Amino acid sequence: MTKDEKYIQRCLDLASKGLGSVAPNPLVGSVIVHNDRIIGEGYHKAFGGPHAEVNAIASVKETSLLPQSTLYVNLEPCSHFGKTPPCSDLIIRKGIKRVVIGSVDPFDIVTGKGIARLRNHGCEVSVGILKSQCQAINKRFFTFHEKKRPFVILKWAQTADGFIDTLRPPGSDLRPAWITSENLRILVHKWRSEEPAIMVGTHTALADNPRLNVREWAGKQPLRIVVDRQLKLPRKLHLLDNRLETLVLNERLDKKEQQTTFLKMPFEKDLVSLSHVMHYLYERGIQSVLVEGGQRLIQSFVAQGLWDEARVFSGPQFFGEGVKAPVIKPSNLSHVIIGNEGFFWFKNYLNY
């Protein structure tokens, strides 16, 4: 690893600390180096707060060293006024002469403009250091701005023989059989805190009565999205309790009741139009959505290629019969064993 790569990697380590707190802004870390010694570092901690470069510069005690230092940052410094002033202007004003950037910002307002501004004021700028890693950490941000849709994460748990549930008729009092251990359920709650929206289909809402909230982890509560074409879900369900912002996709009603919004959507072959859902979420500025079930909804995302990652737990149980797990073609697959359970992480190579 080169010296520049080492410090960009440090930027990435810092940037990851903002996950779940900075959206819709990107994850950004910054390091300031003088004679191969870090004299300042910072990261973007919360949406609306100071950016990484601002925090890094503010942390420098020996400010007289800034003109002889290099500023590292994993994403192009902004050049426009948003909730905070342009970072590129601050870098110029502090006299920093060399800036190393991991990746160009895909946001139209920024793209290339921050780099051009720095160069026009005499800064030596290097771009593309650990580029793929820098884009990967902001996969949600890049997908949102480049593909004009949220980053889609599919999640389910399946048995060793490939089932996600036993056979339970709609309205049955039978509760879902747990496939994963408590530790993995805590991990799922951590994931929920990292995404701005979470989605399930009608059958899952009716059969499991999920809360779709963050309970086993600290963090923001996601927007809950449920598909209910004919508005047949009972109001006693947790998803309709008005405790959290909830979106009910249906084909009959546009109405807001407290924290629950009923939104009319077109349906195609008895399934909600995912392209319309993606467009709506994009217009709302929602950069990612975690799809937790059920089988038909997840399989429809897969069939239309509208997915970016799939996170699949595999438990040791055998159901023998039941609801078959979604089918996904192996692509960019990672696999780890956690106790006697497996965790598979798929990436859709067509979208990466």
Side-chain angles (χ1 to χ4, degrees):
M1 184 174 279
T2 67
K3 183 184 297 185
D4 284 351
E5 289 173 341
K6 178 177 70 173
Y7 291 122
I8 288 293
Q9 181 58 57
R10 177 56 182 164
C11 292
L12 293 172
D13 294 341
L14 290 167
S16 65
K17 295 182 178 183
L19 185 59
S21 301
V22 303
N25 284 354
L27 298 167
V28 184
S30 182
V31 173
I32 300 173
V33 178
H34 179 267
N35 288 342
D36 206 21
R37 177 173 68 94
I38 294 177
I39 62 171
E41 61 182 27
Y43 66 97
H44 187 31
K45 296 181 179 180
F47 177 68
H51 289 185
E53 302 94 320
V54 175
N55 287 332
I57 290 172
S59 75
V60 176
K61 295 181 180 180
E62 303 172 82
T63 56
S64 62
L65 299 179
L66 285 173
Q68 294 82 44
S69 301
T70 298
L71 183 143
Y72 292 85
V73 63
N74 59 288
L75 193 69
E76 176 182 3
C78 62
S79 57
H80 68 291
F81 282 88
K83 290 186 176 296
T84 59
C87 292
S88 55
D89 286 1
L90 176 63
I91 294 169
I92 293 165
R93 191 164 64 251
K94 293 297 182 178
I96 297 172
K97 296 296 189 293
R98 182 169 186 257
V99 179
V100 178
I101 299 169
S103 177
V104 176
D105 193 317
F107 187 22
D108 293 341
I109 295 177
V110 180
T111 303
K113 297 180 179 66
I115 294 169
R117 189 165 183 79
L118 291 170
R119 285 174 173 163
N120 289 340
H121 283 80
C123 289
E124 175 192 342
V125 181
S126 299
V127 184
I129 312 303
L130 297 186
K131 178 181 177 180
S132 60
Q133 293 94 319
C134 291
Q135 292 179 339
I137 197 173
N138 278 309
K139 55 195 177 185
R140 300 164 181 82
F141 188 75
F142 274 83
T143 296
F144 183 82
H145 288 288
E146 293 179 347
K147 299 183 182 297
K148 311 301 181 186
R149 66 163 175 82
F151 186 88
V152 177
I153 302 168
L154 310 177
K155 190 237 81 177
W156 71 88
Q158 64 185 52
T159 61
D161 55 349
F163 294 98
I164 62 172
D165 199 358
T166 55
L167 294 174
R168 292 182 294 140
S172 168
D173 291 332
L174 294 174
R175 302 305 300 153
W178 285 109
I179 295 174
T180 58
S181 65
E182 182 179 354
N183 287 338
L184 295 189
R185 292 198 290 275
I186 292 173
L187 177 58
V188 170
H189 281 261
K190 177 179 184 294
W191 290 345
R192 288 179 179 178
S193 75
E194 295 170 351
E195 313 306 333
I198 183 170
M199 183 177 183
V200 294
T202 309
H203 182 80
T204 298
L206 189 59
D208 297 353
N209 192 18
R211 288 180 172 86
L212 297 188
N213 60 5
V214 178
R215 301 187 301 280
E216 306 292 337
W217 199 263
K220 294 181 180 179
Q221 297 290 350
L223 167 69
R224 305 185 298 189
I225 306 172
V226 59
V227 181
D228 184 14
R229 182 179 185 178
Q230 302 294 334
L231 295 177
K232 292 183 177 180
L233 290 178
R235 293 300 181 98
K236 65 181 181 180
L237 294 181
H238 294 309
L239 285 175
L240 301 177
D241 60 13
N242 278 309
R243 293 187 177 183
L244 296 173
E245 186 180 8
T246 304
L247 184 65
V248 181
L249 306 178
N250 69 94
E251 65 175 5
R252 292 187 174 186
L253 180 66
D254 278 321
K255 185 180 180 182
K256 183 173 178 61
E257 297 180 0
Q258 301 178 53
Q259 294 207 74
T260 303
T261 299
F262 297 88
L263 180 69
K264 287 177 66 174
M265 277 278 167
F267 281 69
E268 302 166 353
K269 298 180 180 179
D270 202 35
L271 293 169
V272 68
S273 170
L274 295 182
S275 61
H276 284 80
V277 175
M278 293 293 100
H279 178 73
Y280 171 81
L281 296 179
Y282 172 78
E283 290 295 319
R284 279 197 56 168
I286 293 174
Q287 290 188 0
S288 61
V289 58
L290 177 64
V291 183
E292 288 205 15
Q295 194 273 348
R296 290 188 68 212
L297 181 63
I298 289 176
Q299 200 66 61
S300 65
F301 274 98
V302 173
Q304 296 180 42
L306 281 174
W307 68 281
D308 300 284
E309 288 183 6
R311 303 173 184 180
V312 183
F313 294 113
S314 179
Q317 302 94 327
F318 286 83
F319 281 178
E321 63 177 0
V323 180
K324 293 291 291 183
V327 177
I328 194 168
K329 292 182 179 179
S331 58
N332 294 349
L333 171 64
S334 299
H335 177 215
V336 296
I337 300 296
I338 306 172
N340 62 348
E341 299 167 305
F343 173 51
F344 299 84
W345 193 309
F346 298 87
K347 295 181 180 180
N348 188 348
Y349 69 93
L350 295 177
N351 288 337
Y352 266 76

